[in-house]
Amino acid sequence: MAYKISKWSLAPLYPGYESAELENAFDMIEEQVSSFEGVRGKLTPEISSEQFMQVMQVSEDMNRIANKLYSFAGLSFTANTQDQAAHSLQSRAQQFLAEIENRTLFFNLWWKELDETNAKRLMDASGDYRYYLEAMRLFKPHTLSEAEEKVVNLKNVTGVNSLTTLYDSITSLYVYKLKVKGKTQELTRGQLMRFAQGGDSKLRAAAYQELYRVYGEAGPILGQMYQTLARDWHNENISLRKFSDPLAARNLANDIPNEAVNALLETARKNAGVFQRYFKLKAKALGVKKLRRYDVYAPVAGSDKKYEYGKAADMVLDSFSAFDPKVGDLARRVFDESRVDSEVRKGKRDGAFCWSVVPEMTPYVLLNYQGNARDVATMAHELGHAIHSMLASHHSAFTFHSSLPLAETASTFGEMMFTDKLLAEETDEAVRRDILFKQVDDAYATIMRQSYFAMFEKQAHDMIQKNASVDELCAAYMENLKEQFGDSLELSDEFKWEWVSIPHIYHTPFYVYAYAFGQLLVFSLYQQYKIEGDSFKPRYLKILSAGGSEAPAKILEEAGINIRDPKFWQGGFDVLEKLVSELEKMPVGGKKKEK
């Protein structure tokens, strides 16, 4: 079957905004919640395991419908951030679900306060719900009273949730102007970045300058939005919930020990020189004395090879099927069931993501496909997320979705499988060389860039509590970049606005370290795969099939990985160092000096 660029179909969720099925979903949740509220008086330490499991089943049933409802609203909004009906539905869903969460909050609070003996008795009988229940109790020291928790839930709807929606709406409206071959084009951010990563040196610079001209003009306002979100994070998580620091709140949500994340970030800082060496090497490959920040993702071979969408899909599916036919079949389902929105269009959210709704439903994938090698790699990445979700579909709605750090495992592994296939099939040496350099470019983007984003977030949250201005945050971000790049490239002043253009630090504070976590983990796993071959596959698929049914550290411990040990993280950088050393030994001539 020849796949074509298309929009996704949300019909498997609901037929439309005005549909009876959608309205019925609101009514069904209302009925289920009313029934659930009736168990409040039955929640005693002596509750039987049978009755407890009935309560959990009703809770999961509510969660399934709520997930479908919220997903329909969220996916509709991302497909067109300027659609007023989608915006209204998302606001309605957020308000409704916050109120539902408040009405069912009593169960979570009772469970966290239950004595250890009875909690263990019920967890031992809870089957696939066990880890969900275990993880919930980890939050006991940071849980507020029922009245306070309700206030927090409601204020989030009209506070942080509204602010991040507003950020998306504003930034999705931005139009970028770029003169190409004498004609000024109006572009989306995704279209602009094609030139920022293209083979024309002048257009790369012009594209970045235009990107940060637009963000810079709105920078003071976007910066104030970020300050507000950071203060809200501090007010809730430090002042009220008594976490030790802003990052610790994210770590607990991920169920990752603080020392593991600190080891990751410190190891990244110590290894900044690996990428600095690489950027100096890349300058030679490009025929320039020194790289500019504009040139970080420049193709060294000047290849602008395009991949037709159907061909790209076949290549990705073939790479997955070569690893395991079942994995290929799962990825194919995403296309066959019209779960991919791959068009580039104004109003649509830029970037890419995979959205898992409920265990039994094929996930949705958003792409902005323009045909270059990176777009194909992104396709492989997001389909990897979908495969991860589908392999864990035998778990409950509470436990099928992996934690953030492990969520990048299948996606990054999928990208590496695709790259290996590309290298094996590509006969043009210039393109092959470009692919090798792109591997390190992508490793930089996923590991070092994201680690330094996380370091900036830590600093920014601290500075905002000391009343730092937006200009002071810009200055701090420039210092962050200078430490990251050292003397390996020239850094232009407009990059001081880069931080306000990063959606993750607005939407999900401290999400970004998950990318570095996932990439370094996959380096380790992929090395094992290369050494062990077929015998590695069952162990890897077991990691993915676990979903979120166990603590990440325990899932990885069974695979022989200790995430608390800085030596593990250093092992990932050792793989990179070896790759850079091999590139340094290669002849770097062959590309004309860039103008």
Side-chain angles (χ1 to χ4, degrees):
M1 179 178 179
Y3 297 113
K4 296 179 180 178
I5 288 179
S6 59
K7 297 179 183 179
W8 53 36
S9 169
L10 299 183
L13 290 167
Y14 300 103
Y17 299 139
E18 307 297 329
S19 65
E21 292 89 338
L22 181 60
E23 284 306 313
N24 189 44
F26 283 97
D27 295 339
M28 283 176 67
I29 295 177
E30 182 65 45
E31 287 177 20
Q32 288 175 325
V33 170
S34 296
S35 174
F36 189 79
E37 287 174 313
V39 308
R40 185 166 193 154
K42 301 173 185 176
L43 295 176
T44 65
E46 297 77 27
I47 188 173
S48 71
S49 56
E50 292 77 16
Q51 195 170 22
F52 181 74
M53 283 299 284
Q54 289 174 3
V55 172
M56 289 303 300
Q57 187 61 60
V58 172
S59 180
E60 184 184 3
D61 290 344
M62 286 189 298
N63 182 269
R64 283 173 180 275
I65 300 175
N67 281 355
K68 286 182 68 177
L69 189 64
Y70 184 73
S71 295
F72 181 71
L75 290 167
S76 297
F77 177 71
T78 58
N80 184 359
T81 61
Q82 308 310 309
D83 184 341
Q84 292 302 306
H87 189 278
S88 296
L89 176 61
Q90 182 165 264
S91 298
R92 178 190 176 191
Q94 287 176 342
Q95 180 70 33
F96 176 76
L97 294 175
E99 291 169 0
I100 293 303
E101 186 177 350
N102 277 353
R103 288 169 60 187
T104 58
L105 188 61
F106 65 87
F107 173 78
N108 292 30
L109 297 176
W110 169 79
W111 175 248
K112 290 174 188 175
E113 290 298 326
L114 187 63
D115 64 274
E116 287 294 332
T117 302
N118 280 301
K120 184 179 185 306
R121 171 178 65 85
L122 294 172
M123 281 193 287
D124 288 345
S126 64
D128 197 62
Y129 296 130
R130 185 197 59 77
Y131 176 63
Y132 168 72
L133 293 165
E134 177 187 307
M136 202 190 304
R137 285 174 67 82
L138 298 176
F139 285 84
K140 182 178 177 178
H142 308 290
T143 300
L144 309 175
S145 69
E146 184 171 358
E148 289 171 314
E149 291 287 357
K150 287 180 175 180
V151 170
V152 169
N153 285 338
L154 288 176
K155 69 88 183 166
N156 280 347
V157 174
T158 49
V160 291
N161 294 350
S162 291
L163 204 53
T164 52
T165 298
L166 185 62
Y167 175 87
D168 285 347
S169 297
I170 290 171
T171 56
S172 294
L173 266 179
Y174 290 163
V175 174
Y176 305 91
K177 295 180 180 180
L178 190 68
K179 186 174 280 189
V180 183
K181 296 179 180 177
K183 291 185 178 180
T184 299
Q185 298 185 12
E186 291 193 348
L187 307 167
T188 65
R189 179 171 176 173
Q191 291 169 325
L192 181 75
M193 293 313 290
R194 185 184 68 193
F195 294 102
Q197 298 171 356
D200 188 310
S201 172
K202 290 180 180 177
L203 278 177
R204 282 199 301 272
Y208 272 117
Q209 288 160 5
E210 174 65 2
L211 177 68
Y212 296 126
R213 179 192 68 78
V214 173
Y215 270 96
E217 285 180 355
I221 299 298
L222 298 179
Q224 287 176 41
M225 293 169 79
Y226 182 73
Q227 288 171 317
T228 301
L229 291 167
R231 288 192 181 103
D232 180 89
W233 186 265
H234 185 278
N235 289 344
E236 178 178 334
N237 292 299
I238 309 297
S239 300
L240 296 177
R241 299 193 185 279
K242 308 301 182 188
F243 280 96
S244 57
D245 61 78
L247 180 57
R250 174 63 58 209
N251 294 345
L252 185 62
N254 290 341
D255 197 5
I256 294 289
N258 289 337
E259 60 264 34
V261 179
N262 290 335
L264 163 62
L265 296 179
E266 278 306 307
T267 306
R269 177 170 258 144
K270 288 176 184 174
N271 284 271
V274 173
F275 286 104
Q276 291 170 12
R277 274 171 53 202
Y278 170 71
F279 293 136
K280 290 176 181 178
L281 169 68
K282 190 165 185 176
K284 290 180 184 177
L286 289 172
V288 297
K289 188 174 181 180
K290 196 170 192 177
L291 218 60
R292 307 166 301 170
R293 173 59 186 83
Y294 309 130
D295 306 321
V296 163
Y297 304 114
V300 296
S303 167
D304 286 325
K305 183 170 181 175
K306 296 295 179 188
Y307 297 85
E308 185 269 325
Y309 184 78
K311 170 70 173 169
D314 288 342
M315 289 170 66
V316 171
L317 292 171
D318 287 348
S319 73
F320 287 160
S321 295
F323 180 81
D324 188 299
K326 178 186 175 184
V327 170
D329 290 343
L330 290 173
R332 195 167 280 107
R333 241 172 69 186
V334 182
F335 289 107
D336 291 346
E337 296 181 15
S338 300
R339 302 300 167 94
V340 184
D341 188 328
S342 48
E343 284 187 343
V344 176
R345 58 181 183 270
K346 288 181 180 178
K348 178 183 171 183
R349 179 176 153 179
D350 279 319
F353 64 68
C354 175
W355 188 310
S356 297
V357 183
V358 288
E360 67 276 10
M361 182 173 277
T362 303
Y364 283 87
V365 167
L366 181 135
L367 304 171
N368 281 275
Y369 191 82
Q370 297 179 76
N372 56 41
R374 269 205 174 82
D375 289 337
V376 193
T378 298
M379 181 191 290
H381 184 100
E382 299 307 334
L383 287 171
H385 280 304
I387 290 162
H388 197 165
S389 175
M390 290 185 279
L391 283 170
S393 64
H394 56 290
H395 293 296
S396 74
F398 295 133
T399 55
F400 85 106
H401 208 293
S402 72
S403 70
L404 281 182
L406 286 189
E408 297 300 327
T409 308
S411 53
T412 308
F413 199 95
E415 237 182 300
M416 292 182 80
M417 287 195 299
F418 162 72
T419 300
D420 270 4
K421 180 176 175 59
L422 209 56
L423 283 167
E425 295 183 358
E426 184 57 65
T427 55
D428 186 329
E429 281 303 314
V431 176
R432 281 176 56 80
R433 193 155 162 265
D434 212 18
I435 291 168
L436 286 169
F437 271 86
K438 272 196 176 81
Q439 274 191 301
V440 188
D441 289 348
D442 292 344
Y444 160 71
T446 309
I447 298 172
M448 196 58 67
R449 187 168 187 253
Q450 305 300 332
S451 295
Y452 269 87
F453 279 156
M455 292 177 213
F456 171 71
E457 280 189 272
K458 287 176 69 175
Q459 183 182 8
H461 276 247
D462 181 57
M463 289 175 65
I464 288 165
Q465 284 309 305
K466 297 172 182 173
N467 301 309
S469 66
V470 173
D471 284 344
E472 287 170 330
L473 291 171
C474 286
Y477 186 72
M478 286 298 281
E479 289 304 312
N480 173 286
L481 292 177
K482 287 172 185 175
E483 180 187 322
Q484 183 182 160
F485 294 121
D487 65 351
S488 66
L489 52 73
E490 293 173 357
L491 188 60
S492 303
D493 188 57
E494 67 267 15
F495 282 91
K496 69 184 181 183
W497 291 115
E498 182 176 26
W499 63 280
V500 302
S501 75
I502 309 301
H504 276 318
I505 72 173
Y506 285 79
H507 288 213
T508 314
F510 305 104
Y511 179 108
V512 289
Y513 77 71
Y515 287 108
F517 191 113
Q519 178 78 70
L520 290 169
L521 170 61
V522 167
F523 274 146
S524 173
L525 292 173
Y526 209 73
Q527 292 305 304
Q528 291 177 31
Y529 169 45
K530 289 288 193 181
I531 294 166
E532 299 172 27
D534 287 347
S535 64
F536 164 84
K537 294 176 182 179
R539 190 165 75 253
Y540 171 68
L541 293 175
K542 184 181 177 184
I543 290 173
L544 302 188
S545 298
S549 65
E550 191 52 87
K554 187 170 182 182
I555 292 171
L556 295 174
E557 193 176 336
E558 290 180 2
I561 293 166
N562 178 9
I563 59 173
R564 290 178 173 85
D565 188 353
K567 290 178 184 175
F568 165 68
W569 302 113
Q570 185 58 49
F573 282 102
D574 290 346
V575 172
L576 275 168
E577 198 280 334
K578 185 178 178 184
L579 185 54
V580 171
S581 293
E582 287 174 4
L583 284 171
E584 284 173 334
K585 292 172 188 173
M586 290 174 64
V588 294
K591 180 169 175 72
K592 290 181 180 178
K593 185 174 180 178
E594 291 208 333
K595 294 179 181 178

